[in-house]
Amino acid sequence: MVKDVGQKPMPLTENDVIDACAKHLSGAGYVVEKVCRTSERGVDIVARCTRTGSRIFVEAKGATSSKSHSARFGRPFDRGQARSHVSRALFEAARLASSAKPGDEAALAFPADTHHESLAVEILPALGRLPASVFWVSNDGEVRWWRG
């Protein structure tokens, strides 16, 4: 998963975060039913737990642009952009949780960088009430899953 741009690892794109989370969910007893890349509309990941039948709906954000032709490609987003990502993902999680069936949950997925992680930690108490969880993806593809 680590991508190099010169000597420095390239920040994760949204697609990298989606791929790592889908793989993690598959290994955690979920069947991934749907994956939407950045060029597609909809919930980024929909997965069903093989044990309970409940579903998880994941909204993912990246640390850099996924479009190789954009000026932001390969350059990490700043704190203001990360705040916008976390805000939009929180809105989407609340929207998804509002229409979820009992047992289903919403989740946010972010790169495990300083900006996204510190901002998401500030809203963990609210996420626990939705219910919603958070995935943090490191540059090497390791996934940590917080569940409230």
Side-chain angles (χ1 to χ4, degrees):
M1 171 89 49
V2 175
K3 299 182 198 176
D4 286 328
V5 177
Q7 299 290 356
K8 198 172 185 183
M10 182 170 149
L12 298 176
T13 66
E14 184 173 315
N15 289 331
D16 295 329
V17 173
I18 291 168
D19 291 343
C21 286
K23 182 179 177 182
H24 183 81
L25 284 165
S26 292
Y30 286 76
V31 173
V32 177
E33 297 178 340
K34 180 182 173 185
V35 172
C36 284
R37 304 282 179 231
T38 53
S39 60
E40 302 169 301
R41 296 184 63 101
V43 178
D44 295 322
I45 302 169
V46 178
R48 182 175 304 279
C49 181
T50 56
R51 202 176 68 260
T52 64
S54 63
R55 294 179 304 166
I56 187 165
F57 302 91
V58 183
E59 176 66 21
K61 300 296 178 192
T64 190
S65 174
S66 60
K67 298 173 178 87
S68 60
H69 61 276
S70 78
R72 295 283 339 152
F73 183 74
R75 295 177 48 216
F77 292 129
D78 63 29
R79 186 167 176 82
Q81 290 163 314
R83 184 180 179 104
S84 177
H85 291 163
V86 172
S87 298
R88 289 193 321 249
L90 175 59
F91 173 83
E92 191 62 22
R95 188 185 70 75
L96 290 167
S98 295
S99 61
K101 295 179 181 169
D104 290 350
E105 74 178 286
L108 314 178
F110 300 114
D113 63 33
T114 303
H115 298 317
H116 286 93
E117 196 157 359
S118 65
L119 291 162
V121 165
E122 290 183 42
I123 61 169
L124 290 181
L127 292 173
R129 291 184 200 113
L130 282 177
S133 56
V134 179
F135 295 96
W136 281 288
V137 180
S138 66
N139 257 25
D140 65 1
E142 182 181 326
V143 177
R144 289 181 291 125
W145 190 358
W146 175 88
R147 297 181 99 172

